[in-house]
Structures are given as C-alpha cells and as structure tokens.
C-alpha cells in the first residue's frame, strides 16, 4: 500500500493540458525531492522530472513539475496521443528510510 | 543516460530458486546505487531495495526483507536479484535502475518472472 496517492486516471483532448497530483506527508514529499516517471504500454518506466521540477536532457518542456508542502504535481501541456501512459511520482520517505512510489495515474487522450 | 541490460524472461515452478541480473556494459557501478523495482501484472511500481556498488552496502524495503537477496559483482558491472524459494506471488516484471538521490535516472528493460506449477 503506497504512501503516495495519485488519481487513478485523468483524460483530455489532444492539445489540452492535464495535471496529475501526488499527495504525501511531511516525512516524504515535504522533506525530499520528488521525481516523476512515464511508463508507456509494455515498456520500462522512464524518468520525466527529477528534483521536483527539473527535466532530464531530451524531455520536452511540455512536461513540468512542481511541489508545495506535502503535494507534488506533474503537468502535461499540448497533450499528444503518444503521451498515453501510466505516470508515477516517487520520493524518499525519511521515517520509513525507504523509497516510495505513487499509486500511478493513467493518462488517456480522448 | 546509462544503459542497463537485464537478463531474459524466466518461467519457474514454486519452490525453485532464481537469480536475475542487471548489467551496465559500458559503465562501472563502483560509485553508484543500483535499485530493484517490482511490478506485478496490472499493478504499480514497488521499491524493493538498493545496493551500493562501491562496498555492496545493501538496503531492503521492509516488504522484501528476507524474501529476496540483492548482490553485485563490480568486476562484471552486474547487480543481481535472487530468490531461494519462489512463490506464485513472485510473478511480476522486475526492473533495475541506477539511483541518484532516490531518483531512478536510468532503467533496465525489465525481466519477466513467471512462477507457475
């Protein structure tokens, strides 16, 4: 049972924007950096955002991350059919001394 | 991005032992943490544990402590995940990845493990 909660699914039309929330606590999100991962169908996860809001080389600026208190948010603008995937947040939990992932969110492009 | 290559799919019976691998053919683990992640069919990602290549310091997530063994052979740039007695509930895709500040910045392609009688 994950300590980070995400909505099971979000959807929007092509070209629109979606946001995915990741809700945690003072021992994980509030106290540590958050990362976000994209998992396309049948593929391994891929790093999208690290250190709350930084993008690795090659990740388009349509993807953005932010954090406030015990919550983090991933934003995707200019939605494309190729963005249909599962998205996970992740961070460290200082109380558990363990890494944790969010419950995952499926993005559907209508 | 670091390339990590995992061993191939496995089909085993309950009670069998198994060791799967994760190799970085073009880089050395010696100054990095490598982690393992489980993904059961249709489910989310679960953090299993991590190992530091420099001294093989290993940390297990509580759910996996005593259930698996994580090891590494730096001379082969390879990390391992092993079971001494598999259960049907171990059926899953297993991913390895390089970790920097609790972030998996590179991932292997995954190893499917199927345990069935």
């Amino acid at each position: 049972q994950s300590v980070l909660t995400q909505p099971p699914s979000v959807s929007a039309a092509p070209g629109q924007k979606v946001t995915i929330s990741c809700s945690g606590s003072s021992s994980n999100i509030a106290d540590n950096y958050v990362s976000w991962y994209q998992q396309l169908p049948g593929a391994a996860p891929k790093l999208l955002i690290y250190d709350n809001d930084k993008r690795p080389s090659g990740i388009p600026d349509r993807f953005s991350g932010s954090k406030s208190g015990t919550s983090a948010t991933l934003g995707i603008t200019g939605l494309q059919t190729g963005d249909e995937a599962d998205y996970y947040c992740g961070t460290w939990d200082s109380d558990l001394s363990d890494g944790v992932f969010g419950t995952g969110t499926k993005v559907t492009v209508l | 991005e670091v390339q990590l290559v995992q061993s191939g799919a496995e089909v085993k019976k309950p009670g069998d032992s198994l060791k799967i691998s994760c190799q970085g053919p073009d880089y050395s683990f010696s100054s990095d943490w490598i982690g393992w992640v489980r993904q059961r069919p249709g489910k989310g990602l679960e953090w299993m544990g991590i190992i530091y290549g420099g001294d093989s310091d290993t940390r297990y997530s509580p759910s996996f402590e005593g259930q698996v063994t994580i090891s590494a052979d730096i001379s082969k740039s390879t990390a391992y995940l092993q079971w001494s007695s598999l259960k049907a509930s171990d059926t899953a895709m297993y991913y390895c990845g390089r970790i920097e500040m609790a972030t998996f910045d590179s991932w292997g392609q995954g190893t499917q493990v199927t345990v069935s009688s």
Side-chain angles (χ1 to χ4, degrees), chain B residues 7-13 17-21 83 86 91-92 111-116:
Chain B
S7 50
E10 302 275 0
V11 179
K12 294 290 187 180
K13 295 188 184 314
S17 62
L18 175 64
K19 191 174 189 177
I20 63 175
S21 66
W83 297 259
L86 285 161
T91 294
T111 296
Q112 175 66 46
V113 173
T114 302
V115 184
S116 175

Side-chain angles (χ1 to χ4, degrees), chain A residues 1 33-35 37 39 42-47 49-51 86 88 90-92 96-103, chain B residues 1 37 39 43-50 59-63 95 100-110:
Chain A
Q1 190 167 353
Y33 285 121
V34 176
S35 50
Y37 305 91
Q39 188 176 31
K46 173 184 173 182
L47 179 62
I49 298 288
Y50 67 100
D51 290 359
D86 293 321
Y88 295 90
T91 188
W92 186 258
L96 298 175
S97 291
D98 196 13
V100 289
F101 291 109
T103 49
Chain B
E1 185 175 336
V37 173
Q39 186 169 39
K43 301 299 183 182
L45 306 176
E46 298 175 88
W47 188 293
M48 298 179 71
I50 57 177
R59 319 275 178 89
Y60 295 94
S61 296
S63 299
Y95 296 101
E100 179 72 33
M101 297 290 289
T103 294
F104 280 85
D105 64 4
S106 297
W107 294 76
Q109 83 278 18

Side-chain angles (χ1 to χ4, degrees), chain A:
Chain A
Q1 190 167 353
S2 177
V3 299
L4 303 180
T5 303
Q6 299 178 229
S9 63
V10 297
S11 60
Q16 297 301 301
K17 174 181 178 178
V18 294
T19 59
I20 300 170
S21 60
C22 176
S23 178
S25 70
S26 58
S27 65
N28 42 65
I29 290 179
D31 206 29
N32 296 283
Y33 285 121
V34 176
S35 50
W36 288 91
Y37 305 91
Q38 176 192 60
Q39 188 176 31
L40 295 168
K46 173 184 173 182
L47 179 62
L48 275 185
I49 298 288
Y50 67 100
D51 290 359
N52 303 330
D53 57 9
K54 296 181 176 59
R55 283 176 286 107
S57 172
I59 300 299
D61 59 7
R62 300 187 299 106
F63 295 92
S64 64
S66 63
K67 186 181 94 167
S68 178
T70 59
S71 293
T73 301
L74 174 71
I76 311 173
T77 59
L79 205 59
Q80 302 175 0
T81 55
D83 297 332
E84 285 204 330
D86 293 321
Y87 293 81
Y88 295 90
C89 57
T91 188
W92 186 258
D93 191 294
S94 304
D95 283 355
L96 298 175
S97 291
D98 196 13
V100 289
F101 291 109
T103 49
T105 299
K106 182 176 183 60
V107 170
T108 300
V109 181
L110 300 172

Side-chain angles (χ1 to χ4, degrees), chain B residues 2 8 24 27 34-35 38 40 46-48 50 54 57 61-62 67 71 75-77 79 84 102 112-113 115-117:
Chain B
V2 168
Y27 109 104
I34 299 293
R38 182 175 75 179
R40 284 174 163 157
E46 298 175 88
W47 188 293
M48 298 179 71
I50 57 177
D57 180 15
S61 296
Q67 306 304 307
S71 60
S75 67
K76 296 181 180 178
S77 291
S84 58
Q112 175 66 46
V113 173
V115 184
S116 175
S117 55

